[in-house]
Amino acid sequence: PIEDIYDRLEIYSLRSQTMQEKRDTIEHVIKVKQPDIVFIDGIVDLLADFNDVKASQELIERLMQLSTKEVVGKDVAIVCVLHTNKNSEDNNMRGHLGTMLQQKAASTFMVTKSNGIFTVTNTESRCGEVPSWSFCYDDDDNIVDATANVAELQALQKQKKQEEKQKKSEATKQQRSDKLLQIVREHGNSIKRSVLHEELKNLLKLGRSSVDNLINKCVKEQRIQITNEMVMVSGMANPTTTSTLFGNC
């Protein structure tokens, strides 16, 4: 039940341990705790070379023994996580370890991700085949079942990414415009276009055309105006200063 899952779930971080210490810890916990199910993420860290046939065989055989009532005292389901090959045309699990694991596993599942939707597919099974299912995460990092409407959720995820990208782009443009105005003001609200161009190029790491587009954008938005190649902040062009002296006559 979801309400008491954390009372029944124990997590062990083995990152600081050596390879042998990891194996010893897993075996000790399984024998002492006698859990219903164990997840090993990832099994590749339990041997030196996942292409070593003998080492892979010995590891898988030991895990098979640890899943039995004869060795542990009860039957235990052991789930191993292993990446597939990086070649897009070869989705097999990596190395001889993956080959051995696939030969001995009761069921094999592949997890793929597309536009923020994770889909789990039962690729091999000695028992009944499990239908594929999908899930994703909402804004609060809660898991959402996406099995029934994958296409719809993928479309929403894609739209959300596009909106976030657009917001980020607009924020960047605004920051660049503000920086342009800052430079003009630092030069007494009047600066040669060529000087402004060079400062923007060096400060923002932009190319010539990008700087030209930025300047033209600020002109179009009436944030600056250009007269005789002099750039001024709008409303501050040709300022007239009037001084009044008050005193005793």
Side-chain angles (χ1 to χ4, degrees):
I2 193 68
E3 58 268 16
D4 66 359
I5 187 172
Y6 291 107
D7 294 330
R8 304 181 63 187
L9 173 66
E10 294 186 5
I11 301 175
Y12 298 85
S13 177
L14 311 182
R15 181 171 295 185
S16 63
Q17 296 186 353
T18 65
M19 181 183 68
Q20 189 58 51
E21 287 172 342
K22 288 183 176 74
R23 296 177 67 160
D24 293 341
T25 298
I26 291 172
E27 183 162 336
H28 174 75
V29 171
I30 291 177
K31 288 182 176 180
V32 172
K33 297 289 186 176
Q34 294 190 338
D36 296 304
I37 183 169
V38 175
F39 295 89
I40 300 176
D41 181 16
I43 188 176
V44 72
D45 295 326
L46 301 184
L47 77 175
D49 182 3
F50 59 78
N51 273 320
D52 187 319
V53 178
K54 184 177 180 181
S56 298
Q57 184 176 3
E58 289 177 349
L59 174 60
I60 298 303
E61 285 182 351
R62 187 54 184 161
L63 290 177
M64 290 177 65
Q65 293 170 356
L66 290 172
S67 70
T68 64
K69 185 176 182 179
E70 290 76 14
V71 174
V72 179
K74 66 172 293 186
D75 292 329
V76 179
I78 299 180
V79 179
C80 301
V81 179
L82 181 64
H83 287 287
T84 57
N85 293 313
K86 293 183 178 181
N87 189 337
S88 59
E89 297 179 357
D90 182 4
N91 290 324
N92 292 317
M93 290 185 286
R94 300 182 68 184
H96 288 294
L97 175 61
T99 301
M100 189 67 61
L101 192 58
Q102 190 155 353
Q103 289 176 355
K104 301 298 182 181
S107 293
T108 305
F109 297 87
M110 177 177 290
V111 183
T112 55
K113 181 182 178 183
S114 176
N115 294 324
I117 307 294
F118 298 86
T119 299
V120 186
T121 305
N122 189 181
T123 57
E124 301 285 343
S125 182
R126 297 175 185 267
C127 308
E129 184 176 341
V130 179
S132 299
W133 77 93
S134 300
F135 65 93
C136 63
Y137 293 92
D138 61 18
D139 293 337
D140 297 321
D141 288 333
N142 296 313
I143 293 180
V144 178
D145 184 6
T147 306
N149 53 349
V150 176
E152 180 181 346
L153 282 172
Q154 284 181 338
L156 290 174
Q157 291 279 2
K158 186 176 180 180
Q159 180 182 348
K160 183 178 178 181
K161 284 186 176 181
Q162 290 175 340
E163 290 174 353
E164 290 175 350
K165 185 177 180 180
Q166 181 66 24
K167 287 181 180 179
K168 186 176 180 180
S169 176
E170 291 299 329
T172 299
K173 291 178 181 178
Q174 182 63 43
Q175 290 171 359
R176 289 174 176 175
S177 297
D178 292 343
K179 183 58 65 175
L180 183 152
L181 293 178
Q182 179 184 337
I183 292 174
V184 176
R185 290 189 177 109
E186 288 175 351
H187 284 263
N189 294 319
S190 180
I191 183 176
K192 287 185 177 180
R193 177 168 181 154
S194 59
V195 176
L196 175 63
H197 197 288
E198 194 65 25
E199 289 198 23
L200 286 171
K201 186 173 69 172
N202 294 332
L203 183 64
L204 302 178
K205 309 299 181 185
L206 297 175
R208 175 173 293 276
S209 60
S210 296
V211 173
D212 284 335
N213 290 336
L214 174 59
I215 293 175
N216 293 335
K217 174 178 177 292
C218 288
V219 171
K220 185 177 181 180
E221 294 174 351
Q222 298 184 344
R223 304 191 74 182
I224 62 173
Q225 59 187 71
I226 302 176
T227 305
N228 297 326
E229 289 302 307
M230 294 298 295
V231 180
M232 293 160 282
V233 177
S234 292
M236 294 187 178
N238 301 321
T240 301
T241 302
T242 302
S243 299
T244 304
L245 176 64
F246 294 89
N248 294 326
C249 296

